[in-house]
Amino acid sequence: MKTLRTAVVGAGHFGRFHADKYASLPGSQFVGIADPNPAAREAAAAKHRVAAFADARELIGKVDAVSVVVPTSLHYDVALALIEAGIHVLIEKPIADTRDQADKLIAAASARGTVLQVGHLQRFLLDRLGAREYVGTPLYIECDRIHPFNPRATDVSVVLDLMIHDIDLILALVGAPVESVMAVGAPVVTKGEDIANVRLGFANGCVANITTSRISLKTERKMRIFGHESYVSLDLAKRKLVAMRRGKGGLLLGTLLPAMMPGMPPIERIERDYPDGDDLKTEIESFLGACRGDHKPHVTGEDGRAALDVALQIEDAIRAHRKRFANLGF
């Protein structure tokens, strides 16, 4: 296995988790951490006995692959400088602030021949739960992602902070372009939307409904997927899957339930529980594998751009709704 020199830009809450993985993975020579905050970078660097840098550009010439874990408003400038220097980049979601910035990052990575992977971490959980095995082309998807308030990441709306996770998962499952967007949202404790609901219509007829809040009293991350002959319920927080589908017989994973009505076929129920996986470790391992040329990035720059595009359409729809119904208090 080729050893890659690695680093993390951003010594905040999630950046420290990235640093832990790079420091522990075989084939990763963890070089250092960059952050403009002296106390944050020195503390993170001391933990792993690596160098601390005030500016991400100081990593140029010292590393092969980097995680960019900084506020969204800084994604473009930080990632572009590293990509143009020939460094592979794993950039946290959303890929950038604007579609134009995303396009330029994708173009720069293509021109330099570097890997650009976007940190839509929930993709790895979706794969681990095996939801695609039970639903071919979804007909309807329902998502709820609600959290108590946390001042982290309030530089963007709840759409770009939390809802974008489900947008990416839905795009990956549906595999068709979005044709319609109907959305409502409201700022409650920050300047951007803190709660939002959207109904997406896709070119293949699928419909998805997403509700997201970062001001709730509990944490819940659930997805329900309805197919032609199947239903899948995912608890993404507890990492559990329950699937129901027409009984096929002879299957070892499921339990066949008897028909409840005359003429009704038996229903197969499958339950899976994966509480102990480390999806961030899997994501970074996959990123390093892509850097070595073993495979393509699991979540490409184009994937990140597609999720950003839909998120921005949702924000536009929320603003249009608020303007239309301003006299009613929206």
Side-chain angles (χ1 to χ4, degrees), residues 10 12 15 21 30 63 80 83 88 98 106 128-129 152 158 179 198 208 223-224 228 241 246 250 254 307:
K21 305 308 174 188
F30 191 44
V63 297
L80 184 64
I83 290 169
H88 304 296
T98 68
I106 294 166
R128 186 152 60 91
L129 291 174
R152 182 191 61 80
V158 74
E179 283 194 336
V198 64
M223 174 180 282
R224 290 165 285 276
H228 288 277
L241 173 147
R246 290 172 65 98

Side-chain angles (χ1 to χ4, degrees), residues 123-296:
R123 283 274 203 107
F124 294 87
L125 174 57
L126 187 72
D127 289 347
R128 186 152 60 91
L129 291 174
R132 288 183 178 88
E133 179 181 344
Y134 304 105
V135 179
T137 301
L139 297 174
Y140 175 67
I141 301 175
E142 192 173 79
C143 296
D144 294 292
R145 185 176 295 265
I146 60 175
H147 290 254
F149 181 72
N150 186 327
R152 182 191 61 80
T154 52
D155 60 320
V156 295
S157 74
V158 74
V159 176
L160 288 171
D161 178 22
L162 297 178
M163 186 182 282
I164 198 166
H165 286 297
D166 296 312
I167 294 169
D168 175 69
L169 294 181
I170 290 168
L171 292 178
L173 286 167
V174 176
V178 171
E179 283 194 336
S180 64
V181 179
M182 181 181 294
V184 62
V188 179
V189 295
T190 72
K191 294 181 180 179
E193 284 74 30
D194 295 309
I195 56 173
N197 173 266
V198 64
R199 188 175 182 86
L200 300 174
F202 291 84
N204 64 356
C206 182
V207 172
N209 190 71
I210 313 172
T211 299
T212 310
S213 168
R214 60 185 179 193
I215 52 168
S216 297
L217 299 178
K218 63 179 181 179
T219 296
E220 185 174 281
R221 298 192 292 273
K222 293 184 177 180
M223 174 180 282
R224 290 165 285 276
I225 310 165
F226 298 80
H228 288 277
E229 295 182 348
S230 63
Y231 162 73
V232 175
S233 174
L234 299 173
D235 189 321
L236 299 171
K238 296 180 180 179
R239 297 175 172 84
K240 292 184 177 181
L241 173 147
V242 175
M244 307 286 284
R245 65 182 178 184
R246 290 172 65 98
K248 301 188 180 213
L251 294 176
L252 299 177
L253 290 175
T255 301
L256 284 177
L257 304 180
M260 303 302 294
M261 297 175 60
M264 177 180 173
I267 303 299
E268 181 189 13
R269 179 186 176 95
I270 302 100
E271 294 189 25
R272 287 184 169 180
D273 188 350
Y274 295 98
D276 299 325
D278 188 337
D279 297 310
L280 180 59
K281 178 181 177 182
T282 302
E283 177 185 63
I284 293 175
E285 286 177 327
S286 179
F287 169 58
L288 295 179
C291 296
R292 295 187 185 100
D294 298 341
H295 50 76
K296 294 181 179 179

Side-chain angles (χ1 to χ4, degrees), residues 35-44 52 54:
D35 194 293
N37 184 316
R41 69 174 179 261
E42 293 295 343

Side-chain angles (χ1 to χ4, degrees), residues 83 102-112 116:
I83 290 169
D103 289 337
K104 288 178 179 177
L105 290 177
I106 294 166
S110 177
R112 291 291 286 141
L116 174 59

Side-chain angles (χ1 to χ4, degrees), residues 12-25:
H13 176 74
F14 205 49
R16 292 194 294 271
F17 289 139
H18 277 250
D20 291 343
K21 305 308 174 188
Y22 283 116
S24 66
L25 286 173

